Amino acid sequence: MHARFVVTAVATLIASGFAFPSTAHAQRPFKVHISADMEGIAGVVSPDQLGPTGFEYQRFREFMTAEVLAAIEGAREAGATEILVADSHGNGLNLLIERLPADVRVVRSWPRPLGMMEGIDSSFAAAIFIGYHSGTTNPAGVRAHTLSSANYAGVALNGVQVPEAGLNAAIAGYFGVPVALISGDDVAVGEARRLIGGVEAVAVKRAISFHSASTMTPPAAQALIKERVRAVLARRVDLRPYRITAPVRLDLTFKNYRPAEMLAYLSIVERTDAHSIRYTGRNVVEVSRFLQFVGAYEAGLSP
Ligand SMILES: [Zn+2]
């Protein structure tokens, strides 16, 4: 074999992503994806904290940003080399991005094919959920809802009702990425742990009702998140991706009648009852794209 051919072959291997065992560990980037919501941030209990018209919103953007920053610092201490944050609440424009380290990337606004998990791929080592809340079929939890508090009464994958944490863990799992940690109220993190398994949980408040909680202070929550993120990522070899079987059957129940009626005009959609439709995707990424379409499409869209 000609030496020149060997060099070319090795170069081709490297270009195709092949990593040589002796150097792979030292050189592979340790990438962490952080998906950040707001209902599960310490202190959040009502719409007053959750959107631009709320009188406490500007302060709570700071607290949300600080909890994300705490997760970033914990990940860095565990050796993370690259961080991507998906701003995943409301308008997707909550995080004060100038407060984040210069080498962090931030996904903002909607729509986006992977929703709250946008930016993730198989090169990531772990996913972290900050500020999460319980799902729409849960009778407890601060601001319990799934994807849309106004529109959805149920979101099930393969017959199992899932909160956002379940859908998003399945998207991460599709790419082989495990969820390392979830923070939110006690109901949200308990629900996620029952569904996903060995994920680390940080309960920053105890839910009392839909609009009430007994909460940690922001600095206490931030310190706990930083410490738990560092600890769980230090043992990340023990984490397993949450994988659901394909094809993936989505059962979506609307609070209103007409979305189910209209979507059933599409041959890929089956109407299963007055308020519900079924869509089957080849995998959870197709289901995510379908959900984005259902959530964002309207005939009068402009520009
Ligand atoms: Zn949410």
Side-chain angles (χ1 to χ4, degrees):
M1 190 179 288
H2 292 288
R4 193 172 148 199
F5 172 77
V6 172
V7 169
T8 308
V10 169
T12 305
L13 273 177
I14 292 170
S16 66
F18 179 86
F20 291 94
S22 58
T23 55
H25 191 72
Q27 294 180 355
R28 181 180 301 166
F30 172 6
K31 297 172 68 170
V32 175
H33 185 282
I34 300 175
S35 173
D37 207 344
M38 197 164 191
E39 287 85 350
I41 299 295
V44 171
V45 287
S46 74
D48 295 318
Q49 297 87 44
L50 288 169
T53 58
F55 82 98
E56 287 194 306
Y57 175 65
Q58 297 304 333
R59 281 172 60 231
F60 276 79
R61 295 175 76 188
E62 306 210 7
F63 300 146
M64 177 189 183
T65 304
E67 287 194 18
V68 168
L69 200 47
I72 291 171
E73 288 168 359
R76 289 259 198 257
E77 288 187 6
T81 55
E82 289 184 45
I83 310 259
L84 185 143
V85 184
D87 189 331
S88 298
H89 170 75
N91 57 17
L93 304 171
N94 309 280
L95 294 168
L96 303 169
I97 59 175
E98 71 278 16
R99 306 266 179 96
L100 302 179
D103 55 351
V104 167
R105 304 286 292 195
V106 184
V107 173
R108 311 183 80 209
S109 192
W110 316 94
R112 45 209 208 202
L114 299 182
M116 301 173 76
M117 297 308 289
E118 190 59 46
I120 198 159
D121 60 38
S122 57
S123 69
F124 282 80
I128 289 172
F129 300 160
I130 296 295
Y132 269 42
H133 51 82
S134 55
T136 185
T137 58
N138 199 319
V142 173
R143 299 289 297 180
H145 70 275
T146 305
L147 302 175
S148 163
S149 42
N151 297 328
Y152 301 151
V155 179
L157 299 178
N158 292 340
V160 178
Q161 288 291 337
V162 292
E164 290 165 17
L167 169 67
N168 295 339
I171 293 172
Y174 172 80
F175 293 103
V177 181
V179 180
L181 179 142
I182 177 170
S183 76
D185 69 30
D186 58 331
V187 178
V189 302
E191 181 179 56
R193 278 178 70 94
R194 280 193 300 282
L195 188 68
I196 305 170
V199 54
E200 180 68 60
V202 178
V204 301
K205 56 195 170 191
R206 181 176 60 79
I208 296 171
S209 69
F210 193 76
H211 278 157
S212 178
S214 170
T215 184
M216 297 175 76
T217 64
Q222 293 151 26
L224 190 59
I225 287 169
K226 179 179 173 180
E227 169 52 27
R228 293 279 178 84
V229 167
R230 187 199 60 72
V232 72
L233 290 182
R235 59 172 183 82
R236 67 185 184 282
V237 291
D238 301 335
L239 302 171
R240 295 288 170 264
Y242 173 70
R243 296 182 194 272
I244 60 173
T245 53
V248 177
R249 193 175 74 247
L250 167 72
D251 286 294
L252 189 58
T253 299
F254 295 92
K255 293 183 177 176
N256 289 317
Y257 186 99
R258 290 208 302 147
E261 181 180 82
M262 287 314 303
L263 284 163
Y265 274 70
L266 303 173
S267 59
I268 57 168
V269 171
E270 175 191 352
R271 192 164 181 191
T272 52
D273 67 37
H275 289 254
S276 304
I277 59 156
R278 175 171 293 173
Y279 165 82
T280 301
R282 279 175 295 182
N283 51 57
V284 72
V285 169
E286 279 197 357
V287 167
S288 176
R289 296 179 72 99
F290 178 80
L291 283 167
Q292 289 293 307
F293 173 84
V294 171
Y297 180 76
E298 46 183 308
L301 280 178
S302 66

